[in-house]
Amino acid sequence: MITRFVEVFSEKEQRTWSTLTETKTGKIINASLNGSAGWMPSGSTLYYTVKRGDSYDLVNISLPSQSSETVATGLPTGDIIWSPDASYFVYYKSVPGTRKEGIMQRYSSPDDRMPENRDRYYLMKYDLSTSVAQPLTYGGATTYPDGFNADGSKMLIKAMRENTSEYPFYKTDLIQVDMKTMAVDTLVKANGDLSSAVYSPDGKSLFIVGGPSLFGKLGVNDFDSQGYLFDIASKKVTPMTRDFNPAIQGEPVWNAADGKIYFRAEEGFFVPVYCLNPADGSIKKLPVAADNVANFSIGNREDRYMSYTGQAYEYAGRAYLMDLKTGKSTVMADPDAERLAEVNFGKTQPWKFTASDGTEIDGMMCLPPDFDPNKKYPLIVYYYGGTSPSQRGMSHAYIPQLFASRDYVVYILNPSGTTGYGQEFSARHVNAWGKRTADEIIEGVKKFCEEHPYVDSKKIGCLGASYGGFMTMYLQTLTDIFSAAVSHAGISNVTSYWGEGYWGYSYNSVAAAKSYPWNNPDLFTKQGALFNADKIHTPLLLLHGTEDTNVPIGESIQLFNALKVLGRDVEFITVEGANHVVKEYDKRIVWHATIMAWFAKWLQDDSRWWDSMYGDK
């Protein structure tokens, strides 16, 4: 088992290395492997690449001797995809598109505003015996490899292009290439979202992951990924997850040893690993030890072990080895254990409620570390951004433990529209822009306060980012139950976001399917905060990165201007140089402090922190 570690020292400095562990004994037999180490397609041989000037060397390590040998030099890249027989590999070649010349720029499509939109990524085949690189793809579409069949005679390639004149606006073709003759066969000319495909062990079928509209109408929210069996000869499609509520995530694995398909899936607050038997359609959840599995690995020709990494509210970055025969998982690495052992975590537990329409709404709560049931605590409420569910994990900007540590009770909910609860539930996100979802948040907060007497119902804050930022703004037009609100990169005007955001019109192709400002103006105005700004009385903090290309900063500017004209309590703080997500560590610290200071001012009646940062200068 190879375990890769990454230690981050600063924004621009990090160290990466790998270890090699014997699965049977758990013994580490090499603690300092190259960070790029991986397995060759067959046998017990490792490989890694080393950059030498402008090219790369390929090094093999044989086991158990661990003797190394440089088997190729002068390679064009260090990122390679091996053929099953290891006689060649496939890699990406980047071809820059035409650039702006002079003071004038002609745009050919909405995506042409993106600086690298005209660049293309093509696939190359590199033969190790001849050192000859051969182009596999070229032309108008960027192409992606989706793997080989068992003997390497066939390869799957995805080709994606933008097409604004026909809904949906992106077309993904799935193409099979004969690696001997270079003949191609377009297996799927997609009209919906196609994310990945993998061959069956006999090469006669594919397991395809894509949106529910890919092969018909299983649902309307294409963010809620489904799984399909595809017979290559007949092109017959069999939906395999029609009645399976969790949404498939990442790349599936079709194991040759047991003939079963393994994949991760969103299941509310959890991300487990599932095993699908294509023979009878049965789906089994594996007893993984982590709440939120980030990735997993299982051998193509072996079904005894599965390695995976995962996190929860109290730990992160753990690596596990599961014995699939017994279902037992063993922790193989836990690099943050010593540091996290010093943290006093608050208690987390599920809290669900039944909405007025009978729908059960999933949720979690987190108490302060030194919780006293006889005290009154302010409450902070968080909800999903985009359409993905909030999940149990530490590697998130708004983890509940962080706010609980500041003496808040925290309530997180996954209201209608969230993926991972079934197509009907996720479809409520489409052509709604807050309808029903906002009502459920308000209803859930009221019921939460009723059932938990230690919550001060007069001191409730809420926050969200992106679509969650939109929700924060929109909620304040519907209710006065919140004493303070924080919106990061929120959308105040659905129309301007649709037109200006890099992915505004394409996100709306799912969130507002076939609705546009000209054929459904009510959706684009009545559901936004800007056109209802006069109804907002909650103190509102607007945060936005100055370089946000997903949700342009104008979305916060518009609402800030409106609330200033109306004389409301509003603050607008920009994060210099940040895009949609604040990534740089030093900026994240000040950004988080700003949020905490705002809540301390309005929910804990202590403005000293805020005044020290943003008081009169």
Side-chain angles (χ1 to χ4, degrees):
M1 172 181 170
I2 299 173
T3 307
R4 182 172 294 118
F5 296 81
V6 180
E7 186 175 15
V8 179
F9 301 103
S10 68
E11 178 191 350
K12 297 179 180 180
E13 186 181 7
Q14 65 181 37
R15 181 171 72 103
T16 304
W17 76 98
S18 298
T19 62
L20 181 64
T21 308
E22 186 177 63
T23 53
K24 186 176 181 179
T25 64
K27 178 183 178 182
I28 295 178
I29 55 179
N30 191 325
S32 57
L33 276 176
N34 186 286
S36 66
W39 293 107
M40 295 295 288
S42 61
S44 295
T45 304
L46 301 170
Y47 79 93
Y48 63 88
T49 55
V50 181
K51 190 170 185 180
R52 308 288 190 194
D54 295 330
S55 62
Y56 292 81
D57 290 352
L58 175 65
V59 180
N60 282 359
I61 300 178
S62 299
L63 297 180
S65 67
Q66 295 197 58
S67 59
S68 62
E69 178 187 10
T70 300
V71 296
T73 59
L75 301 182
T77 178
D79 298 320
I80 59 182
I81 302 158
W82 285 107
S83 65
D85 65 358
S87 64
Y88 66 89
F89 61 81
V90 173
Y91 67 94
Y92 286 105
K93 181 179 181 181
S94 174
V95 178
T98 56
R99 299 299 188 207
K100 174 179 174 182
E101 296 181 3
I103 62 172
M104 311 299 286
Q105 173 71 41
R106 181 187 183 188
Y107 291 95
S108 61
S109 73
D111 284 358
D112 213 11
R113 294 170 296 151
M114 303 180 196
E116 298 179 357
N117 178 64
R118 299 186 184 188
D119 296 349
R120 292 293 180 267
Y121 293 89
Y122 301 122
L123 301 179
M124 302 287 291
K125 173 187 174 184
Y126 188 93
D127 191 300
L128 285 173
S129 64
T130 63
S131 300
V132 172
Q134 174 187 3
L136 294 177
T137 61
Y138 199 79
T142 283
T143 47
Y144 307 89
D146 248 0
F148 299 89
N149 64 354
D151 63 9
S153 61
K154 302 288 194 304
M155 179 183 180
L156 293 175
I157 291 175
K158 294 197 302 284
M160 189 178 76
R161 59 176 59 82
E162 182 190 19
N163 182 1
T164 53
S165 63
E166 184 179 351
Y167 181 90
F169 304 128
Y170 294 91
K171 307 294 184 183
T172 303
D173 297 337
L174 183 64
I175 301 161
Q176 179 174 259
V177 182
D178 187 309
M179 298 305 291
K180 293 181 179 179
T181 67
M182 293 294 111
V184 298
D185 181 12
T186 301
L187 301 179
V188 179
K189 202 164 186 62
N191 291 317
D193 174 67
L194 191 158
S195 56
S196 65
V198 60
Y199 278 106
S200 61
D202 63 7
K204 296 180 179 180
S205 303
L206 304 175
F207 184 68
I208 296 176
V209 177
S213 64
L214 182 60
F215 297 109
K217 273 294 179 184
L218 294 185
V220 297
N221 188 341
D222 272 338
F223 298 136
D224 203 338
S225 297
Q226 302 290 300
Y228 307 87
L229 277 186
F230 180 89
D231 183 81
I232 295 176
S234 66
K235 292 186 169 55
K236 178 184 176 183
V237 177
T238 304
M240 301 301 290
T241 58
R242 184 197 305 269
D243 302 316
F244 178 70
N245 285 341
I248 298 176
Q249 296 291 297
E251 302 281 337
V253 174
W254 200 328
N255 184 269
D258 61 11
K260 295 176 182 177
I261 302 166
Y262 295 81
F263 56 83
R264 293 185 308 120
E266 292 175 339
E267 189 183 53
F269 285 89
F270 298 83
V271 182
V273 178
Y274 286 88
C275 175
L276 165 65
N277 187 344
D280 59 14
S282 61
I283 302 176
K284 174 186 176 182
K285 180 162 65 174
L286 301 184
V288 293
D291 291 346
N292 185 338
V293 175
N295 53 59
F296 74 96
S297 176
I298 182 172
N300 291 332
R301 302 172 184 83
E302 187 271 341
D303 62 349
R304 178 64 188 268
Y305 294 109
M306 180 182 77
S307 61
Y308 62 97
T309 65
Q311 59 176 315
Y313 283 142
E314 299 83 14
Y315 61 85
R318 281 185 186 170
Y320 298 85
L321 183 69
M322 174 184 278
D323 187 323
L324 293 170
K325 302 302 181 186
T326 65
K328 180 183 177 182
S329 289
T330 303
V331 176
M332 306 297 284
D334 193 2
D336 284 329
E338 184 176 349
R339 181 167 49 176
L340 292 177
E342 301 175 358
V343 177
N344 185 16
F345 288 106
K347 180 182 179 181
T348 59
Q349 62 191 60
W351 189 83
K352 303 178 181 181
F353 77 95
T354 301
S356 55
D357 64 356
T359 302
E360 184 180 74
I361 303 301
D362 198 7
M364 294 292 302
M365 60 179 289
C366 184
L367 299 174
D370 298 317
F371 174 69
D372 180 353
N374 298 312
K375 285 179 58 176
K376 283 281 189 179
Y377 291 90
L379 175 69
I380 289 180
V381 181
Y382 178 75
Y383 25 78
Y384 69 84
T387 186
S388 298
S390 297
Q391 294 172 345
R392 297 171 66 94
M394 291 187 68
S395 58
H396 190 273
Y398 306 105
I399 57 172
Q401 295 283 7
L402 184 66
F403 295 96
S405 72
R406 293 283 175 184
D407 231 21
Y408 297 101
V409 172
V410 184
Y411 170 42
I412 315 101
L413 69 162
N414 286 330
S416 285
T418 319
T419 57
Y421 293 93
Q423 277 296 315
E424 190 279 328
F425 194 86
S426 67
R428 299 176 185 180
H429 181 79
V430 180
N431 277 309
W433 271 103
K435 288 180 182 177
R436 189 171 187 168
T437 300
D439 293 338
E440 288 173 356
I441 294 172
I442 295 169
E443 185 178 6
V445 171
K446 290 180 178 179
K447 288 186 174 181
F448 187 91
C449 293
E450 291 172 2
E451 290 194 18
H452 301 93
Y454 47 78
V455 170
D456 186 347
S457 61
K458 302 297 183 183
K459 296 291 185 180
I460 306 174
C462 63
L463 80 157
S466 195
Y467 179 86
F470 158 84
M471 184 57 65
T472 294
M473 298 173 176
Y474 180 55
L475 280 169
Q476 312 321 310
T477 72
L478 302 175
T479 182
D480 59 359
I481 65 172
F482 298 107
S483 301
V486 176
S487 168
H488 177 78
I491 300 159
S492 66
N493 181 349
V494 183
T495 304
S496 59
Y497 166 67
W498 175 85
E500 289 187 88
Y502 271 9
W503 298 278
Y505 90 104
S506 56
Y507 175 81
N508 266 289
S509 69
V510 177
K514 299 184 179 180
S515 291
Y516 307 99
W518 54 89
N519 69 1
N520 193 353
D522 283 355
L523 178 67
F524 284 81
T525 54
K526 290 184 178 180
Q527 295 308 112
L530 181 64
F531 293 92
N532 297 281
D534 59 321
K535 302 171 185 174
I536 297 176
H537 296 278
T538 306
L540 178 60
L541 170 62
L542 303 170
L543 291 164
H544 224 115
T546 60
E547 305 299 323
D548 195 331
T549 54
N550 187 345
V551 177
I553 194 172
E555 293 302 314
S556 287
I557 293 173
Q558 291 180 81
L559 189 59
F560 175 72
N561 290 350
L563 295 178
K564 274 296 185 181
V565 168
L566 290 164
R568 306 293 156 79
D569 286 315
V570 62
E571 292 283 355
F572 177 37
I573 307 292
T574 62
V575 187
E576 190 66 31
N579 204 309
H580 196 53
V581 177
V582 183
K583 293 184 177 181
E584 295 87 348
Y585 181 76
D586 57 339
K587 295 178 182 178
R588 288 181 77 102
I589 293 298
V590 182
W591 170 60
H592 261 302
T594 300
I595 295 172
M596 293 298 187
W598 181 256
F599 281 140
K601 176 180 179 178
W602 294 102
L603 302 184
Q604 297 178 331
D605 297 323
D606 188 347
S607 64
R608 289 174 297 172
W609 196 355
W610 179 266
D611 292 341
S612 70
M613 296 180 71
Y614 301 108
D616 293 335
K617 304 288 184 182

